[in-house]
């Protein structure tokens, strides 16, 4: 994956539908553009793909830039009309927002906060196969923060709902923008406090305790789930004296 020079747009006759300034990449201004999908890209020069296809295959900062581009383009496309009165929305010239002139509604880019947590029990990690994930792929638990909840309350609730366990000693790890489609993942560690695994069949196909030296296939380090797992395994493998 590489960033394209601006002259490519004019040279190849692309019709730009939407355009957003993203910031600077190596001191050069960078924009996200959406071109008319009726334009046929030359397969000898370009490969059409998705964010999933580049996850873990490009440097983290470049993936974050691509994710930001996708989120902004999707947000503008999904807010062409006001959700209150139905009138067309206009891009605000002074800030990143869509405005409805008739009724005054302002829509900013949407971010959905989520918690993602690695539950541990000594040398064991609780990992689950989500019903929407490929068979054999195990990851950490995760869930969206609901209105009125704190991140910590969401974590405790989601673990109880998805696998029936009680947890405590919550420790924040770090956050990650996750553009599938517009999440902000808040990573935590949590320690097992009690209960037996009982999977919610609508969410979890399987959940088990895995020893840190015998893990199944897990997410790549490019994801906060993979980083949570890697961090804990490294801490167990190289204990501080």
């Amino acid at each position: 994956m590489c960033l394209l020079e601006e002259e490519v747009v004019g040279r190849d006759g692309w019709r730009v539908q939407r355009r957003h300034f993203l910031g600077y990449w190596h001191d050069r201004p960078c924009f996200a553009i959406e071109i008319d999908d009726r334009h046929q890209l030359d397969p000898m020069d370009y490969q059409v793909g998705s964010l999933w296809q580049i996850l873990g295959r490009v440097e983290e900062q470049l993936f974050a830039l691509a994710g930001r581009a996708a989120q902004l383009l999707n947000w503008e496309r999904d807010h062409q009309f006001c959700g209150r009165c139905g009138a067309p929305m206009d891009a605000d010239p002074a800030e990143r927002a869509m405005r409805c002139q008739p009724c005054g509604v302002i829509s900013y880019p949407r971010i959905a906060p989520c918690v993602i947590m690695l539950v541990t029990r000594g040398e064991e990690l609780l990992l689950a196969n989500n019903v929407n994930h490929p068979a054999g792929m195990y990851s950490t638990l995760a869930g969206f923060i609901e209105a009125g909840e704190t991140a910590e309350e969401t974590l405790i609730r989601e673990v109880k709902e998805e696998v029936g366990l009680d947890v405590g000693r919550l420790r924040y790890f770090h956050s990650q923008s996750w553009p599938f489609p517009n999440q902000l993942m808040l990573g935590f560690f949590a320690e097992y406090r009690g209960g037996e695994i009982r999977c919610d069949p609508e969410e979890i196909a399987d959940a088990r305790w895995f020893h840190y030296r015998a893990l199944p296939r897990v997410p790549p380090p490019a994801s906060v789930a993979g980083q949570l797992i890697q961090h804990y395994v490294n801490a167990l493998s190289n204990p501080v004296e």
Side-chain angles (χ1 to χ4, degrees), residues 18 34 70 72-81 98:
R18 294 179 180 84
E34 178 179 316
L72 290 175
L73 292 171
N74 289 340
W75 158 72
E76 184 182 347
R77 185 173 57 247
D78 293 345
H79 287 80
Q80 294 299 293
F81 297 93
M98 299 292 286

Side-chain angles (χ1 to χ4, degrees), residues 60 114 116 172-178 184-188 224 227:
E60 189 172 337
C114 307
I116 182 163
Y172 177 72
F173 180 52
H174 70 70
S175 63
Q176 181 183 38
S177 176
W178 194 241
L184 175 63
M185 309 300 290
L186 307 175
F188 285 85
V224 69
Q227 293 163 20

Side-chain angles (χ1 to χ4, degrees), residues 5 20 29 42 51 56 78 100 109 118 123 136 139 141 152 154 158 172 179-180 183 187 191 197 200 207 213 218:
E5 298 291 339
H20 281 275
D42 187 341
L51 290 174
D78 293 345
C100 175
L118 176 60
E123 295 188 343
S139 184
L141 300 176
E152 293 80 4
T154 300
E158 284 287 343
Y172 177 72
F180 300 107
Q183 287 113 278
E191 292 184 2
I197 295 176
D200 176 358
R213 289 180 177 157
V218 297

Side-chain angles (χ1 to χ4, degrees), residues 55-193:
L55 177 61
R57 299 175 60 188
V58 300
E59 60 181 287
E60 189 172 337
Q61 288 183 325
L62 187 55
F63 179 78
L65 186 67
R68 178 176 172 82
Q71 291 181 73
L72 290 175
L73 292 171
N74 289 340
W75 158 72
E76 184 182 347
R77 185 173 57 247
D78 293 345
H79 287 80
Q80 294 299 293
F81 297 93
C82 178
R84 179 183 294 172
C85 73
M89 301 279 274
D90 298 317
D92 190 289
E95 60 178 337
R96 185 104 57 194
M98 299 292 286
R99 290 181 178 268
C100 175
Q101 299 301 332
C103 73
V105 162
I106 305 173
S107 294
Y108 296 96
R110 296 173 299 171
I111 299 174
C114 307
V115 291
I116 182 163
M117 48 281 192
L118 176 60
V119 180
T120 63
R121 187 173 66 179
E123 295 188 343
E124 295 179 308
L125 290 68
L126 178 72
L127 300 174
N129 175 236
N130 189 281
V131 294
N132 297 315
H133 290 171
M137 167 64 79
Y138 283 77
S139 184
T140 55
L141 300 176
F144 288 97
I145 298 176
E146 295 185 357
E149 279 188 328
T150 65
E152 293 80 4
E153 289 169 341
T154 300
L155 189 158
I156 293 169
R157 173 182 59 77
E158 284 287 343
V159 174
K160 189 69 171 180
E161 290 177 355
E162 293 190 353
V163 294
L165 301 181
D166 297 314
V167 294
R169 196 171 176 240
L170 314 184
R171 290 166 290 146
Y172 177 72
F173 180 52
H174 70 70
S175 63
Q176 181 183 38
S177 176
W178 194 241
F180 300 107
N182 54 6
Q183 287 113 278
L184 175 63
M185 309 300 290
L186 307 175
F188 285 85
F189 293 103
E191 292 184 2
Y192 169 77
R193 285 290 183 262

